[in-house]
Amino acid sequence: MPTVMRIGAYRFHFFSDERGEPPHIHVASGDDACKFWLDPVRLATNTGMEPHRIREVERLVFEHASFFREKYHEFHQA
C-alpha cells in the first residue's frame, strides 16, 4: 500500500489489488478513511470522516489530481 503524499494529518495512498477499478486515491487519517475517484474527482466512499474534513480532503484531491492520476497509472502498470 504505497503512500504517494502526506499533507498534515492525511495520508494519500493506493492498494495494490484494485486494478479493476477506475483511477482513485485512498485517504487515511487516524481511524477515518475515504476514497476519491480521480476522473472526475468525486467521493467514492467514506468511513468515519466528518463532513468538514471530507470537504478539506476533496479540495486537496482537486489540487493534486493530476499528480495522483500519474502515480496511480505508474503504480498499477508496474
Side-chain angles (χ1 to χ4, degrees), residues 22-33:
H24 61 277
I25 190 77
H26 292 269
V27 185
S29 179
D31 291 334
D32 301 335

Side-chain angles (χ1 to χ4, degrees), residues 4-78:
V4 296
M5 185 179 285
R6 288 183 187 272
I7 301 174
Y10 302 115
R11 181 172 62 92
F12 297 81
H13 63 280
F14 303 116
F15 289 107
S16 60
D17 61 348
E18 296 181 312
R19 289 181 189 238
E21 293 192 23
H24 61 277
I25 190 77
H26 292 269
V27 185
S29 179
D31 291 334
D32 301 335
C34 61
K35 176 169 79 172
F36 276 85
W37 301 123
L38 295 174
D39 195 20
V41 172
R42 66 190 185 285
L43 181 65
T45 62
N46 176 25
T47 307
M49 260 191 210
E50 296 178 359
H52 73 279
R53 293 182 73 205
I54 288 289
R55 287 189 299 276
E56 181 179 3
V57 170
E58 181 179 45
R59 180 184 58 79
L60 293 169
V61 172
F62 268 107
E63 286 178 16
H64 301 283
S66 60
F67 173 79
F68 293 143
R69 276 190 219 87
E70 178 183 322
K71 292 299 178 184
Y72 181 91
H73 290 296
E74 282 177 16
F75 180 75
H76 287 93
Q77 292 181 15

